[in-house]
Amino acid sequence: MIDLKFLRENADVVRESQRARGEDPQLVDQLLEADERRRSSIQAADELRSEQKAFGKKIGQAAPEDRPALLEGSNELKARVKEAEAAQDEAEEAVAKLQLRIANVVEGAPAGGEEDFVVIEHVGEIPEFDFEVRDHLDLGEALGIIDMKRGTKVGGARFYYLVGDGAWLQLGMLMLAAQKAREAGFTVVIPPVLVRPDIMAGTGFLDAHDEEIYYLERDDMYLVGTSEVALAGYHSGEIIDLSDGPLLYAGWSSCFRREAGSYGKDTKGILRVHQFDKLEMFVYCAPEDAEEMHRKLLQLERDMLSAVEVPYRIIDVAAGDLGSSAARKFDTEAWVPSQNTYRELTSTSNCTTFQARRLATRYRDASGKTQTAATLNGTLATTRWLVAILENNQRADGSVVVPEALRPWVGKDVLEVQQ
């Protein structure tokens, strides 16, 4: 949610942010006008309430014979106060609705849409194969570790089973991520995967991504597409203690996405599915610490990708592809040999105070004054990583070399084709 004080003092900055995102800058002026009406209505209602209070004292001090006339005037004033309070409520509701329509203010991201990202860095060597490359599903089926046919039979399209070594490969990847998170000071959390509407709305996911979210109408609950949602709600309505530095959490959960509008896109394999597991980092910090924490989250993602031995690149995501909550986002994209391109594996976003303002998460600064916290998130491992791990480590006979860091969990150096 946009800070109204910031908006009043930096309207041009917010207009430019809207333009960079490809969104309507006129919303800024509409909100400023609505805010002015709200402030005027508050003042008018306060003045009438003060007048009503003074009038009440006058009635109490009046002679008995004068009170009937004064009481008639009091009733008229009471009606005016009620009318002014209704106008105030209406004005505040208009402001709240417009606030929810304006995305977070972009901080440093390039302007444009999905294709206007800026490549920051390439890491690792793209493998060269002297044989015909197989995609991850062909490899997974031959190895007996991915079963899409039975997944579709049981759950429908875009569902799957990870079997045997496939399950251990994912568990090992997530355990490695959890260990790295703990070593970096994060508290590992297994959060709810069902959340209430106010928590989902507070993260900003209902603004632009509601079609991607599973909604359970009978229970008025949402299935999360990332544990970021539940972790953002963890301290909602609280004043948290940041005196010893940022609060760091790493949420391990199953995640659910409808993939609405993606029909015919990445239908083969486990690149774009309805259910997956993920370890998500989440940070609460003072706003002045957010940029540094963003760099730290990105470095942790680098370390994890290096550990699973896949080549990748880092991109600075363009403003129009950020999502409403993020002020800036970096994606790490792994090389996928069968597609001869890079595909997103992780992202890390600086959401500044946008989510915490919606969720009323505050902290006390050095002077003891309450301030809105900043929040950040970043993915440290997810099911999609198996695509890059399998394809980049394949051999001519269809076997796959297990990255050394995952071998303690998988229990094998090489996954062999099932005979």
Side-chain angles (χ1 to χ4, degrees):
M1 182 181 293
I2 193 78
D3 180 3
L4 290 175
K5 183 175 183 294
F6 181 89
L7 179 73
R8 295 183 205 114
E9 297 173 354
N10 303 274
D12 286 341
V13 173
V14 184
R15 289 189 192 97
E16 186 53 39
S17 174
Q18 288 288 98
R19 292 188 190 97
R21 287 177 173 275
E23 297 181 8
D24 186 3
Q26 291 184 2
L27 284 173
V28 174
D29 299 293
Q30 292 173 26
L31 180 52
L32 285 170
E33 291 170 8
D35 182 46
E36 183 58 38
R37 289 194 298 273
R38 179 187 69 90
R39 296 166 79 188
S40 297
S41 69
I42 291 172
Q43 183 179 352
D46 285 345
E47 289 174 354
L48 281 170
R49 279 189 288 265
S50 295
E51 185 179 342
Q52 185 182 38
K53 186 176 181 181
F55 202 78
K57 289 181 179 179
K58 184 178 179 181
I59 293 172
Q61 296 167 356
E65 63 271 18
D66 296 331
R67 287 181 182 175
L70 290 173
L71 286 170
E72 187 176 337
S74 174
N75 290 334
E76 181 184 339
L77 186 55
K78 184 179 179 180
R80 290 172 61 199
V81 168
K82 187 175 181 180
E83 187 178 306
E85 288 177 339
Q88 178 183 334
D89 291 343
E90 185 179 338
E92 289 181 339
E93 184 180 353
V95 166
K97 286 181 177 179
L98 283 167
Q99 271 186 288
L100 293 176
R101 292 179 61 189
I102 295 181
N104 201 356
V105 178
V106 174
E107 292 188 359
E114 185 178 356
E115 302 301 322
D116 296 309
F117 60 83
V118 173
V119 177
I120 297 174
E121 184 181 3
H122 288 87
V123 180
E125 296 290 329
I126 293 176
E128 295 184 3
F129 300 100
D130 57 3
F131 55 88
E132 185 176 349
V133 171
R134 298 187 186 187
D135 66 36
H136 72 279
L137 183 57
D138 290 342
L139 290 165
E141 289 179 337
L143 296 169
I145 64 174
I146 300 176
D147 193 333
M148 295 293 299
K149 291 178 181 178
R150 290 187 175 92
T152 301
K153 177 180 72 173
V154 172
R158 299 183 190 271
F159 284 95
Y160 58 96
Y161 285 86
L162 294 179
V163 181
D165 292 336
W168 283 110
L169 197 62
Q170 173 165 290
L171 288 170
M173 176 181 63
L174 291 168
M175 280 299 300
L176 179 64
Q179 283 188 342
K180 286 186 175 294
R182 184 169 64 176
E183 290 166 2
F186 287 75
T187 298
V188 177
V189 178
I190 297 179
V193 297
L194 280 166
V195 299
R196 297 182 343 207
D198 58 311
I199 301 299
M200 185 64 78
T203 58
F205 282 95
L206 293 184
D207 296 349
H209 301 283
D210 60 319
E211 288 190 355
E212 291 297 314
I213 301 168
Y214 283 103
Y215 175 57
L216 281 66
E217 186 173 2
R218 180 178 294 181
D219 302 295
D220 193 24
M221 299 280 279
Y222 289 93
L223 278 167
V224 300
T226 166
S227 56
E228 171 194 344
V229 177
L231 293 175
Y234 191 50
H235 289 299
S236 61
E238 298 180 18
I239 298 176
I240 58 178
D241 185 3
L242 297 180
S243 58
D244 292 329
L247 298 182
L248 312 176
Y249 298 103
W252 181 337
S253 74
S254 292
C255 305
F256 306 87
R257 295 185 184 173
R258 294 184 62 242
E259 293 296 345
S262 64
Y263 303 107
K265 185 177 182 181
D266 296 326
T267 55
K268 186 177 182 182
I270 60 172
L271 195 60
R272 193 185 294 271
V273 291
H274 291 308
Q275 177 184 336
F276 54 94
D277 284 359
K278 185 165 69 157
L279 192 89
E280 184 79 2
M281 301 176 288
F282 195 87
V283 175
Y284 294 91
C285 67
E288 60 268 24
D289 297 330
E291 190 173 345
E292 179 186 357
M293 285 308 309
H294 203 192
R295 290 194 295 269
K296 288 183 177 180
L297 293 182
L298 181 58
Q299 185 57 52
L300 284 165
E301 292 179 344
R302 291 173 184 263
D303 294 344
M304 184 64 191
L305 283 164
S306 295
V308 298
E309 301 175 27
V310 294
Y312 64 95
R313 71 181 184 184
I314 301 170
I315 67 169
D316 194 351
V317 177
D321 197 32
L322 286 176
S324 64
S325 296
R328 196 170 193 184
K329 180 168 75 168
F330 300 112
D331 281 356
T332 53
E333 301 181 328
W335 180 254
V336 178
S338 67
Q339 298 187 12
N340 199 38
T341 191
Y342 289 93
R343 299 301 300 267
E344 178 194 339
L345 290 195
T346 76
S347 66
T348 175
S349 299
N350 179 4
C351 296
T352 61
T353 60
F354 188 84
Q355 292 177 329
R357 181 168 289 104
R358 290 180 170 211
L359 291 165
T361 304
R362 298 173 295 161
Y363 70 101
R364 297 192 189 279
D365 62 19
S367 67
K369 184 179 179 182
T370 55
Q371 305 284 359
T372 303
T375 62
L376 302 96
N377 62 80
T379 304
L380 205 52
T382 187
T383 300
R384 177 180 282 203
W385 287 35
L386 299 183
V387 173
I389 291 171
L390 292 172
E391 292 200 16
N392 282 286
N393 291 286
Q394 64 181 294
R395 301 195 300 191
D397 62 357
S399 61
V400 172
V401 177
V402 178
E404 186 173 352
L406 302 182
R407 291 174 189 174
W409 288 279
V410 179
K412 298 177 180 179
D413 294 353
V414 178
L415 303 181
E416 304 284 354
V417 175
Q418 299 291 303
Q419 302 299 323

